[in-house]
Amino acid sequence: MNILGIESSCDETAAAVYSDAGLKSNIIASQNIHANFGGVVPELASRAHQQTIWLTVKQALEESDMSMDDIDAIAVTRGPGLMGALLVGLSFAKGLSISYNKPLIGVNHIDAHVYANFIEQQPDFPFIGLVVSGGHTQIIYVEEPFKHQILGQTRDDAAGEAFDKIGKILNLPYPAGPHIDKLAQKGDIHFHKFPQALLHDGFEFSFSGLKTSALYYINDIPEEEKEAFLGDHLNDISASVSHAITEVLVRKLGKAIKKTRAQTVILAGGVSANTMLRNKAQEMALKYKVKLHYPRLIYCTDNAAMIAVTGYLKAQREDFDDIRMKPFASLSDITISNKQ
Ligand code: KG4
Ligand code: ZN
């Protein structure tokens, strides 16, 4: 079985082929234009997807030494994401499906981040998943493939959003997560104590207080001293911010393990690329004697390999979708979309 995966939910146009023998190709066209704006500009994202999607899919097929005739089904991101951006990928996939008479598989982008762990590994079920991306932060309990329960999620900003917004305050390029990660490796986590919203009543997260605290912290530095202070301590501030974010994530993960007694834990989403998070999760896994999985760095942030592998797992269950399937911008729209 060969599955073509297409991803266009945000600012990466991506295509990949996953087959019985594993991943055959993985092409990602990143949209650098957004860096100038300090965030993703939806209309620019849709235009860039439109321009590159055909070439990206063509390259994914070429690199796999396949043509559309060799493809058994087309998996495509349905949401959540930017509506205009999703429509480009979904419409393109529908066009291919009709032209070549291939079944379609709609993929939930968050599921795909979780199943990115299956591109090169085989985590055991049930498992606890920490899903940390630019738009979502959730702890889920996955009983069996495509059946999960959300234990808790963020009440406001996502973990990746916290990295990006604090990075903006520190004048770092967008997306700031990877920059903060790198700087943090040379800094002191105890330089400044940023708030850790543990919200003791459960598995929910909140990162907006941390963002505000970082803003006040920087604004309180006298203007004439700011440049020199940041020059001397950007590493330390990055380490302290990363410590505050990852501490909350890992503590809640530990709590979820204790509650569910799951033996396997996976990290998913762009923030799962974070070095401090990976290290702390590793320590926690040793402490609780659980198995920890996280994807290789290239499969943590948005890519189509995760869409193709999720499509592959769904195709094995003959879980195909109708040509009329609609995109959904947010998770709260999903039930409505599924019924239409
Ligand atoms: O999963 P993803 O590529 O896109 C969404 O679905 O949102 O996640 C992107 C997020 C951004 O907020 C980015 O700053 C963050 O992941 N990120 C990181 C790292 N690499 C990406 N955050 C912290 N450390 C990293 N190494
Ligand atoms: Zn993503």
Side-chain angles (χ1 to χ4, degrees):
M1 194 162 57
N2 300 316
I3 306 294
L4 170 67
I6 298 176
E7 153 68 31
S8 74
S9 65
C10 192
D11 58 343
E12 326 277 355
T13 318
V17 175
Y18 194 89
S19 74
D20 301 321
L23 190 65
K24 289 288 176 190
S25 63
N26 184 32
I27 308 292
I28 305 179
S30 296
Q31 304 176 355
N32 300 323
I33 30 166
H34 305 290
N36 305 328
F37 299 92
V40 178
V41 183
E43 176 62 15
L44 293 183
S46 309
R47 292 184 202 181
H49 285 308
Q50 187 69 42
Q51 278 164 7
T52 44
I53 193 148
W54 171 231
L55 198 61
T56 310
V57 169
K58 194 164 159 258
Q59 276 184 13
L61 289 170
E62 277 169 8
E63 204 161 284
S64 324
D65 255 332
M66 288 182 201
S67 72
M68 273 311 292
D69 294 334
D70 303 307
I71 297 296
D72 297 290
I74 304 160
V76 60
T77 309
R78 274 183 80 181
L82 302 169
M83 185 49 80
L86 289 166
L87 274 167
V88 176
L90 191 61
S91 310
F92 190 85
K94 286 182 180 181
L96 281 182
S97 163
I98 295 169
S99 314
Y100 293 95
N101 198 24
K102 306 286 178 185
L104 267 180
I105 303 167
V107 171
N108 177 321
H109 183 90
I110 310 290
D111 280 352
H113 274 303
V114 171
Y115 293 101
N117 281 283
F118 290 73
I119 297 171
E120 297 179 311
Q121 307 164 60
Q122 280 299 325
D124 294 323
F125 290 88
F127 60 77
I128 295 283
L130 175 68
V131 184
V132 272
S133 71
H136 298 87
T137 300
Q138 292 182 338
I139 293 195
I140 57 176
Y141 178 69
V142 187
E143 281 164 57
E144 53 185 84
F146 305 105
K147 193 168 170 214
H148 72 251
Q149 191 191 331
I150 298 174
L151 300 181
Q153 52 193 330
T154 184
R155 293 183 183 176
D156 39 57
D157 292 346
E161 208 176 345
F163 274 111
D164 295 341
K165 286 180 175 169
I166 293 171
K168 203 168 181 178
I169 298 167
L170 299 172
N171 279 328
L172 293 170
Y174 177 87
H179 298 280
I180 294 184
D181 184 351
K182 215 164 162 201
L183 290 162
Q185 290 172 38
K186 289 173 271 165
D188 174 10
I189 56 167
H190 301 299
F191 180 73
H192 181 79
K193 194 166 171 31
F194 286 105
Q196 297 173 17
L198 290 170
L199 304 171
H200 288 288
D201 50 346
F203 294 103
E204 292 197 322
F205 300 93
S206 167
F207 292 107
S208 70
L210 168 64
K211 173 189 64 190
T212 311
S213 153
L215 183 66
Y216 286 152
Y217 178 67
I218 299 298
N219 282 350
D220 281 350
I221 303 165
E223 210 50 52
E224 63 279 10
E225 292 170 24
K226 215 171 256 180
E227 204 182 318
F229 182 79
L230 284 181
D232 287 345
H233 295 298
L234 197 55
N235 294 340
D236 297 325
I237 298 168
S238 298
S240 301
V241 165
S242 305
H243 179 62
I245 296 175
T246 53
E247 204 56 22
V248 176
L249 295 174
V250 173
R251 285 227 204 141
K252 300 251 169 180
L253 200 50
K255 208 170 151 191
I257 294 169
K258 270 201 253 171
K259 183 182 168 177
T260 63
R261 296 173 196 266
Q263 296 294 301
T264 305
V265 171
I266 64 109
L267 307 182
V271 181
S272 66
N274 186 266
T275 315
M276 201 182 283
L277 176 63
R278 287 176 174 233
N279 290 342
K280 286 184 183 177
Q282 200 79 63
E283 282 169 24
M284 190 212 54
L286 278 175
K287 181 176 155 196
Y288 288 105
K289 297 191 175 62
V290 295
K291 238 176 159 179
L292 174 71
H293 297 268
Y294 42 71
R296 233 190 319 151
L297 286 179
I298 40 161
Y299 305 130
C300 287
T301 43
D302 289 351
N303 64 84
M306 67 183 194
I307 307 300
V309 76
T310 309
Y312 182 86
L313 295 170
K314 286 188 136 191
Q316 281 179 333
R317 286 163 181 74
E318 298 192 13
D319 185 359
F320 298 106
D321 284 285
D322 198 88
I323 193 81
R324 289 168 297 181
M325 77 166 151
K326 292 175 181 168
F328 57 89
S330 69
L331 282 180
S332 51
D333 299 337
I334 192 169
T335 352
I336 305 162
S337 301
N338 279 346
K339 282 184 191 146
Q340 287 171 342

